Amino acid sequence: WDKTKFKLFLGPCIRQSNYEVSKDLYLEFKNYPQSLVKKSEEKYLLGIDIVLKNQLAEIGIQSEDCDICTKQSDDFYSHRAGDM
């Protein structure tokens, strides 16, 4: 298949400013330092969208992003926002 003809669109998801993770999860993504922001000794903010876009670029797939955070938008469900 021709990767140059394939493009991925990343839809709404929780974004780095709202996705707090433990140090254990941080260690799983330490190969993507731009996706991590240290919040405290044991807490980090993780940009899963950033990780995904980097992984796609590494294998030559283009991507576009809607840049919508589900926790900040009233239009989408967010477990972390406590939606019911």
Side-chain angles (χ1 to χ4, degrees):
W1 64 291
D2 184 358
K3 291 184 233 179
T4 62
K5 293 182 180 182
F6 188 79
K7 186 177 254 185
L8 181 125
F9 182 79
L10 182 61
C13 65
I14 194 160
R15 303 298 168 138
Q16 186 178 51
S17 61
N18 292 301
Y19 192 45
E20 187 177 291
V21 298
S22 67
K23 189 171 187 174
D24 291 338
L25 189 56
Y26 152 78
L27 294 173
E28 296 292 323
F29 292 96
K30 65 183 179 185
N31 293 335
Y32 299 96
Q34 70 278 16
S35 70
L36 297 161
V37 174
K38 190 170 190 174
K39 191 171 179 183
S40 70
E41 255 338 280
E42 294 298 318
K43 296 291 179 180
Y44 297 81
L45 297 172
L46 174 63
I48 54 175
D49 56 313
I50 298 168
V51 172
L52 177 60
K53 288 185 275 189
N54 277 285
Q55 288 175 339
L56 290 168
E58 287 172 4
I59 60 172
I61 295 177
Q62 295 179 23
S63 65
E64 288 189 27
D65 190 349
C66 72
D67 293 319
I68 296 172
C69 178
T70 53
K71 186 171 180 190
Q72 292 179 321
S73 174
D74 292 334
D75 295 330
F76 301 95
Y77 171 82
S78 172
H79 174 75
R80 290 192 178 231
D83 292 344
M84 293 305 207

